[in-house]
Amino acid sequence: MSIPVRTTVNITVRSAAKINLHLGVGAPRDDGFHPLTTVYQAVGLCDDLTATLPGEQDAPWDLRLRVADYIDPGAVPVDDDNIVARAATLLAAHHGVPVRGHVDVDKAIPVAGGLAGGSADAAAALVALDRLWDARTSDDDLLALAAELGSDVPFALIGGTALGTGRGEHVMPLPDGGTWWWVLVPSREGLSTPQVYRHFDKLFPDAPAVPPPADELLDAVAAGDPVRLARLLRNDLQEPALDLRPDLGVLLERGESEGALRGIISGSGPTCAFLCESSDHARDLAGALMRHGHTVVLVANGAVAGAHLVENLHG
Ligand code: C5P
């Protein structure tokens, strides 16, 4: 007599948060998106997504979220609107296969934080489900599907430090000679990216075409020089974000007065990112900010890899 063995496959993909070392924003295009030139950096604050094939008794598709204690669990919809579900539907349609899989997302990247956490999850879903379904999607097709899902999703696939153009979806890796240390301070209350872009339009009705990032910034990144880079960090969404959330200005000043090389708003905010000289410097700054009453202060290094497999279990 043979005992039926249920074969399971567990695929875990890790995907990182991003910050923007440079975010130059132009006037909105006809489709409503803003033309960007940006320098992305993937930092070591990651979500892990695990995809499993359903057994015969199970529902064909199931998405569950587990979130870190500093994230509001109600902030993420676990329905067809979730970007992970949209990634699954898009990949399945691309290959003409049914959507199948149990997907668990362990979230550590704050929601609506300006750190592209949703984009990281979408990239992880594409990589994990591509493996789970043995779909063998080409890199070019994965990048194209990623761009359909969101402006930051192609970068979440490639990671490292990269130049982003278009609405952010065209990405080109950049030489990066540094190990960069960041202190990240998320905010309990998120900021809506479209709202920050709309406020940018209100504050800068005559925004010019976007110039590329200064060569000095690219040189500082290539040389791995945090003191030089600190001077050159730029985020055009910072002013609208601070206008909407003046409390963030106080936090940026506090971080700089406690010794950060520079504090900036990450993407559309509200997370504040402080560049430090070393890991020790970052830990000291994190301690100082916690003593000021900030309960969630994270230390993260960059640049780290894009969405990548960390576990592939057959049992
Ligand atoms: O592409 P993604 O879905 O991440 O964008 C979210 C929203 O942010 C868009 O709907 C748009 O309002 C705004 N956005 C923009 N210009 C960009 C990227 C995003 O206006 N380049």
Side-chain angles (χ1 to χ4, degrees), residues 1-310:
M1 191 182 85
S2 66
I3 300 167
V5 178
R6 189 170 124 166
T7 304
T8 58
V9 185
N10 259 316
I11 291 169
T12 301
V13 171
R14 181 161 295 164
S15 195
K18 65 84 191 153
I19 51 186
N20 303 80
L21 310 182
H22 174 99
L23 182 51
V25 180
R29 314 186 304 200
D30 290 345
D31 64 2
F33 282 93
H34 293 69
L36 306 179
T37 52
T38 186
V39 176
Y40 292 111
Q41 182 165 94
V43 295
L45 171 64
C46 297
D47 287 353
D48 279 351
L49 179 147
T50 300
T52 315
L53 278 179
E56 275 173 24
Q57 313 300 322
D58 300 329
W61 171 253
D62 188 20
L63 171 63
R64 290 169 297 204
L65 282 174
R66 203 168 58 185
V67 299
D69 58 7
Y70 52 84
I71 298 176
D72 170 11
V76 199
V78 191
D79 57 17
D80 293 351
D81 279 347
N82 186 288
I83 197 164
V84 169
R86 291 201 286 118
T89 306
L90 195 65
L91 184 69
H94 179 75
H95 292 286
V97 297
V99 179
R100 294 179 73 223
H102 287 185
V103 173
D104 290 284
V105 186
D106 273 316
K107 278 202 75 61
I109 307 174
V111 179
L115 295 165
S119 302
D121 300 342
L126 289 176
V127 173
L129 294 172
D130 178 62
R131 287 274 183 139
L132 192 75
W133 300 338
D134 197 23
R136 297 165 197 249
T137 320
S138 70
D139 287 353
D140 282 351
D141 284 357
L142 268 188
L143 285 167
L145 295 171
E148 272 190 59
L149 289 164
S151 307
D152 296 333
V153 184
F155 173 70
L157 284 174
I158 73 161
T161 302
L163 183 68
T165 53
R167 59 182 162 86
E169 85 279 31
H170 299 302
V171 280
M172 199 182 75
L174 287 171
D176 181 345
T179 300
W180 310 96
W181 287 96
W182 297 93
V183 171
L184 304 176
V185 185
S187 189
R188 279 257 162 230
E189 203 185 319
L191 261 178
S192 140
T193 301
Q195 188 193 0
V196 176
Y197 273 105
R198 278 198 302 275
H199 203 56
F200 172 89
D201 295 338
K202 213 169 98 189
L203 293 181
F204 305 105
D206 302 317
V210 278
D215 284 345
E216 293 99 297
L217 181 135
L218 303 184
D219 288 347
V221 170
D225 184 339
V227 176
R228 261 167 71 201
L229 178 63
R231 275 191 288 112
L232 300 162
L233 295 170
R234 165 177 160 178
N235 180 359
D236 288 356
L237 293 182
Q238 179 151 317
E239 208 173 311
L242 291 182
D243 210 36
L244 293 166
R245 285 281 304 273
D247 58 305
L248 300 176
V250 176
L251 172 55
L252 289 178
E253 273 171 28
R254 185 172 289 154
E256 290 183 350
S257 69
E258 287 291 352
L261 294 176
R262 180 89 186 274
I264 50 163
I265 297 289
S266 175
S268 57
T271 305
C272 291
F274 296 97
L275 182 58
C276 296
E277 254 175 296
S278 63
S279 56
D280 283 347
H281 182 200
R283 273 191 287 272
D284 287 349
L285 176 65
L289 289 171
M290 289 179 103
R291 283 191 294 280
H292 277 288
H294 297 282
T295 45
V296 182
V297 181
L298 309 164
V299 173
N301 70 311
V304 301
H308 62 283
L309 197 70
V310 287

